[in-house]
Amino acid sequence: MRGHDEGGEDLYVSIPLGGPIYVSDLVGPLTRVPDFETSVIEELESLKEEVYGDVAQVCDEDTSVDELKIIQEDELVSKAFEEAFKVDKLTGGSPNDNSALAVEQSCLQNPEENKKAIVSSESNNNLPGKRKKRKGVSKKNNYFDESYMVKVEQLARIKLKQEEDKACARLHSFNNSIVPGHGVNAKAEKTKHLKSGSVSKKQVKATSSYGDDPVQFPEAVLSFEVYHNRKTGSKTQEFLVLGRQFLTEVKDKIYCLTDEIMTRAGKYDPSGYFLIEDVFCNDTRESSNVDYSKTILDWLKNSKNDALEKWEFIVAGEVRQKQKAILGTENKQQLPRFKSLHMQSTRFCDLRFHLGAGYLYCHQGNCRHLIVLRDMRLIHPEDVQNRSAYPLITYQPKLLFKKCSVCKIYKADKVTVDDKWASENPCYFCDICYYMLHYVDRSLLYSDFSVYDYHHE
């Protein structure tokens, strides 16, 4: 592919998925990369204040790190023992009641189940027609049982409160060494969580021949699409381009079969231009390059009426032109003020464009491609952070190879038309099969057919 350094190896890198929602056939308002970066940064700052302000307010109302104390299991058991001892002293019971301690420990381990069991037992005892057996039970023991069950419920509630406090602490992820919402570390942690959440990734291929050139934040990333020169709506390539990259960096990465054909024919022309809105961006890096836009600008200047008629047809469409011819209208279109720039000194951040709109790339004299700046976003921490890796190819269809019609093994290099000895018309040959069929002692056997070099597409 043109634009790859010789000897460069390919490797796979990860890019994050997501970003702006792309809707086909819809075009965004006129924008610029610096305006987009400013608006997004302002939106992020306001979002930080809103999100972290709400978090700090909720934490101040509910709990604070300095005031939050997580009760350990052994502390809770000791507290239960003390409460049980107090009850025993008041009621005259024995502090070494093993059954009471076993019930307390069971309550600490499963507070919710024990609470349900308490409620269930109370409801069963209150069923109508069911008598309670109180033989051999004194009022003293009855008072102890009731007070003990109350203590069990209290311990269960303490255990539940402890779990809620733990969940709150895990939710807000506070650091015990700082006050919530204050300090440099807190701000850094909040910014990190806001910027780098979990994202899905896509593996793409990139060349490994670039050096180390870190991307400076903030930096916009644009999705740049290139479509086929003849097949309408067929996308051939898609790149990730940085907003501060020059247009020539993208031009050198665009692949077109016309370039290969012209190169083999010895007529390769490095000239070309991008037409984005009302700006012609010409490739004038070499002295032999031709300024394609000069002829167009001269025609616009010398043939204003014809140019205005064609421009109205482009803007309004055929239906509007018919309506104008029948109904008539006084609204007249005006030609844009087209201008010309050098592609090698023009960056994407210097241009105004509509996201989703179709623009023009022209090269090799008259080979025209539709190009689309599909969407734009700020660079993500999961993106490739090396500027030299961009433009990064994110989509390119696989090349389709025709096999030789004779051997069915090797790729075809030639194609013949109206060949009487061929099995089909047109017929594809590899070099070996073609020369074996058509030549003897380096002499062509017959010439009443057409032969062409076959280029893979």
Side-chain angles (χ1 to χ4, degrees):
M1 178 181 299
R2 295 180 65 248
H4 280 198
D5 295 336
E6 294 183 1
E9 299 178 354
D10 287 340
L11 71 159
Y12 285 93
V13 295
S14 298
I15 60 171
L17 298 177
I21 299 175
Y22 171 66
V23 181
S24 59
D25 301 326
L26 290 183
V27 178
L30 195 63
T31 184
R32 296 174 63 245
V33 171
D35 298 340
F36 170 77
E37 292 176 349
T38 303
S39 63
V40 171
I41 292 175
E42 291 177 355
E43 193 69 26
L44 284 175
E45 292 298 329
S46 62
L47 182 61
K48 289 179 187 177
E49 294 178 0
E50 181 179 352
V51 171
Y52 295 133
D54 293 343
V55 170
Q57 184 177 1
V58 170
C59 294
D60 290 340
E61 294 176 355
D62 293 344
T63 183
S64 174
V65 175
D66 297 334
E67 299 174 357
L68 181 63
K69 181 180 180 182
I70 304 300
I71 303 176
Q72 302 296 331
E73 298 289 342
D74 53 351
E75 296 178 1
L76 194 60
V77 172
S78 300
K79 187 174 182 180
F81 289 164
E82 293 176 0
E83 295 292 336
F85 294 159
K86 291 179 181 179
V87 173
D88 290 338
K89 291 178 181 179
L90 292 175
T91 58
S94 175
N96 297 323
D97 192 348
N98 294 330
S99 62
L101 295 179
V103 174
E104 289 180 4
Q105 293 177 358
S106 175
C107 174
L108 293 177
Q109 295 176 358
N110 300 300
E112 294 183 358
E113 295 181 0
N114 286 304
K115 188 174 181 180
K116 292 179 181 178
I118 294 168
V119 175
S120 176
S121 62
E122 290 179 356
S123 61
N124 292 333
N125 292 334
N126 295 330
L127 289 175
K130 189 172 183 179
R131 297 181 179 179
K132 302 178 182 178
K133 296 182 180 180
R134 298 183 178 275
K135 293 182 179 181
V137 179
S138 64
K139 293 182 179 181
K140 179 179 179 181
N141 291 336
N142 187 32
Y143 172 77
F144 175 79
D145 292 340
E146 292 178 356
S147 62
Y148 182 77
M149 297 308 294
V150 171
K151 293 297 181 181
V152 169
E153 293 183 8
Q154 292 178 354
L155 294 176
R157 284 193 290 270
I158 293 174
K159 183 66 175 179
L160 291 176
K161 180 62 176 175
Q162 180 191 20
E163 295 298 331
E164 292 175 359
D165 292 342
K166 287 181 179 180
C168 180
R170 286 193 298 266
L171 176 63
H172 299 302
S173 302
F174 287 150
N175 187 347
N176 292 332
S177 62
I178 57 174
V179 179
H182 295 80
V184 178
N185 294 333
K187 184 176 181 181
E189 286 294 324
K190 292 175 182 178
T191 306
K192 179 180 179 182
H193 287 298
L194 182 61
K195 287 183 178 179
S196 57
S198 60
V199 294
S200 57
K201 300 178 182 179
K202 177 183 178 182
Q203 294 288 332
V204 297
K205 186 179 289 187
T207 180
S208 61
S209 59
Y210 49 78
D212 187 12
D213 186 8
V215 176
Q216 301 296 326
F217 188 85
E219 180 66 271
V221 179
L222 297 91
S223 293
F224 185 94
E225 296 179 336
V226 182
Y227 287 82
H228 201 277
N229 58 346
R230 295 189 308 273
K231 300 177 183 178
T232 304
S234 177
K235 182 168 64 174
T236 58
Q237 281 180 302
E238 183 177 344
F239 304 95
L240 287 183
V241 184
L242 300 180
R244 291 173 177 82
Q245 283 193 296
F246 294 100
L247 272 64
T248 47
E249 299 181 63
V250 181
K251 179 180 179 292
D252 292 340
K253 283 289 187 75
I254 296 177
Y255 172 82
C256 180
L257 183 61
T258 307
D259 290 332
E260 289 193 5
I261 295 174
M262 297 298 287
T263 301
R264 292 193 181 188
K267 298 180 179 180
Y268 178 78
D269 184 5
S271 307
Y273 68 83
F274 291 109
L275 175 57
I276 300 178
E277 289 299 317
D278 56 354
V279 180
F280 288 92
C281 302
N282 295 280
D283 187 355
T284 57
R285 286 175 289 180
E286 299 182 15
S287 59
S288 60
N289 285 13
V290 179
D291 186 352
Y292 290 156
S293 66
K294 186 177 184 305
T295 305
I296 301 174
L297 294 175
D298 290 341
W299 176 77
L300 291 173
K301 182 179 179 180
N302 300 326
S303 305
K304 289 185 178 180
N305 293 332
D306 293 341
L308 181 59
E309 183 179 351
K310 292 182 180 296
W311 180 253
E312 288 180 348
F313 185 83
I314 294 173
V315 174
E318 184 178 1
V319 176
R320 292 288 298 275
Q321 289 298 316
K322 291 180 178 179
Q323 291 177 353
K324 178 182 177 181
I326 297 173
L327 303 176
T329 179
E330 296 181 356
N331 296 331
K332 293 184 178 180
Q333 296 284 345
Q334 291 184 353
L335 282 173
R337 295 182 179 179
F338 290 98
K339 59 182 179 180
S340 177
L341 297 176
H342 296 296
M343 188 186 300
Q344 62 271 21
S345 60
T346 304
R347 301 175 297 177
F348 284 93
C349 59
D350 300 328
L351 301 172
R352 299 180 68 87
F353 51 85
H354 292 271
L355 290 177
Y359 298 111
L360 179 64
Y361 166 56
C362 182
H363 67 124
Q364 300 301 332
N366 197 29
C367 183
R368 295 187 292 264
H369 297 261
L370 176 70
I371 58 172
V372 177
L373 293 168
R374 192 188 68 192
D375 56 38
M376 178 167 50
R377 61 177 173 85
L378 287 182
I379 195 166
H380 191 275
E382 298 295 336
D383 279 305
V384 179
Q385 300 297 313
N386 195 332
R387 186 191 180 281
S388 301
Y390 295 89
L392 188 62
I393 299 177
T394 58
Y395 170 79
Q396 181 167 296
K398 293 182 179 180
L399 296 177
L400 300 178
F401 297 99
K402 283 277 190 180
K403 285 189 176 181
C404 176
S405 301
V406 179
C407 65
K408 306 291 185 182
I409 298 176
Y410 298 108
K411 293 182 295 185
D413 293 306
K414 296 185 180 298
V415 56
T416 62
V417 180
D418 299 329
D419 188 352
K420 62 183 179 181
W421 284 4
S423 58
E424 55 190 38
N425 189 24
C427 188
Y428 298 89
F429 294 92
C430 64
D431 283 334
I432 297 175
C433 293
Y434 174 76
Y435 285 101
M436 288 180 64
L437 181 64
H438 297 88
Y439 284 81
V440 173
D441 295 333
R442 297 184 180 180
S443 298
L444 185 64
L445 296 177
Y446 60 99
S447 60
D448 55 340
F449 67 95
S450 301
V451 59
Y452 306 94
D453 289 334
Y454 175 69
H455 300 282
H456 312 292
E457 184 175 0

